[in-house]
Amino acid sequence: MCTRTAFGLILIAGVLLQACGVLPRLDPVPPAQTELAQIAGVPDARYWLDRDLGPFIQSVIRDNQRERDALAKAGQPADPMPPINVLAISGGSDAGAFAAGILSGWTARGDRPEFKVVTGISAGALIAPFAFLGPQYDEVIQGVATAIGPDDVFHQRNLIVGLARDGMADSKPLARIVAKYVTPEVLAAVAREFAKGRVLEIGTTDLDAGRPVTWNMGAIASSKEPGALELFQKIMIASTSIPGAVSPVMIDVVASGKHFQEMHVDGGVITQVFTYPPSTVTELLRATGKPLDRDLRIFVIRNGKLEPEWTPTKRRTLSIGGRAINALVQMQGTNDLYRIFNTATRDSADFNLAFIGSDFTYPHAHQFDTAYMKHLYEYAYSLSATGHAWHKAPP
């Protein structure tokens, strides 16, 4: 018995030693060159909105000019400009079914606007491109948000392999779903809307830099680069890749003529939902010398509840750590809502918030529980179709 045990321990140790070598990657971008790094062929692919807003403000000015040109081409008046409708979809894992129901119910109600700007993070990143393209993609959103189970999203590794690799699961199943729905036709459709001045943004976290990255998905779709579709898909997957739980997404960049690799993970590491930087309106006035002079309407879909949820916690390390992280994420999401609300109030914007109410009590047996997701979708659909989804302020 002792011999067999010793042999087993030696075998496990050997496997671990073989597996624990550092996984290959190109060098990370040096700190001083972080903001200089670019996607080859797509110089305007992203923004660093936690520092200098200059590049972002110039991009907004170009977006507005494309919008004016598109209106003129269509024979529509550009003065006054139409309202700016902003839709922000938060993270929330399988609670993304809530956003799917809100959007479909909104379509059924008949007053869903066209959004000039759509943003998404984590679960919201999987929905945002289709919300951006309009109601004709509601069935895709419903399918992605309600009809997938755990095995359709991540491939779990065993404990030993997971600890030795870069995540306890890989996202190959999710990559197949994204590739199924994010097709060359979808990429072309996003590019056409980008040409009209509309904006689609997805957030990820550059783990080496420890900073949020906002990806200009319309610019990527319009780039005509051979790898544009693959990059578009990788960003969507990266935005959902919880560090440690799922392998990160490696993205190739160029800085100062050298090739590097960035490690991107879930945008929710930094923020759960975003619209635009708080000083955007002020910076636009400074750059153009003109006030915004158009109505601004903000719609935020929070895929989660805002009240803390009581959960019995086992006296075990993983249970305690997991519960603490869940509480942290929920509070972070609530703080994001107050930040957006305060910005909207200062900019005289019409603020609208949809979130899962305390009246939704269907049991959540496990992650990506299809029964839970379908009930959540139906709950959100009913709220939205009857006009009861939106709140004018966080509670």
Side-chain angles (χ1 to χ4, degrees), residues 92-179:
S93 189
D94 55 4
F98 179 75
I102 292 292
L103 290 166
S104 296
W106 206 351
T107 300
R109 181 174 167 83
D111 57 354
R112 174 176 161 182
E114 180 178 84
F115 303 105
K116 177 175 171 65
V117 180
V118 176
T119 74
I121 273 189
S122 195
L126 299 179
I127 296 172
F130 307 108
F132 177 76
L133 292 178
Q136 63 269 34
Y137 285 89
D138 281 358
E139 288 188 8
V140 173
I141 292 175
Q142 181 182 359
V144 170
T146 66
I148 58 176
D151 294 337
D152 299 316
V153 182
F154 303 123
H155 174 256
Q156 295 292 332
R157 298 175 172 129
N158 67 52
L159 179 62
I160 294 175
V161 173
L163 291 174
R165 297 281 298 179
D166 54 2
M168 298 306 296
D170 70 61
S171 53
K172 289 180 181 177
L174 178 60
R176 287 193 288 269
I177 292 174
V178 171

Side-chain angles (χ1 to χ4, degrees), residues 185-203:
E185 291 74 23
V186 165
L187 197 74
V190 171
R192 285 194 297 271
E193 297 307 311
F194 180 73
K196 300 175 185 176
R198 298 181 62 215
V199 179
L200 171 62
E201 297 173 343
I202 286 178

Side-chain angles (χ1 to χ4, degrees), residues 227-267:
L229 178 60
E230 181 184 3
L231 176 62
F232 195 105
Q233 295 168 343
K234 287 177 73 172
I235 292 166
M236 291 177 64
I237 296 166
S239 189
T240 68
S241 298
I242 302 170
V246 184
S247 293
V249 173
M250 310 304 298
I251 295 180
D252 295 332
V253 296
V254 177
S256 302
K258 296 182 179 179
H259 292 269
F260 300 96
Q261 251 181 355
E262 295 174 344
M263 182 181 292
H264 284 262
V265 297
D266 195 328

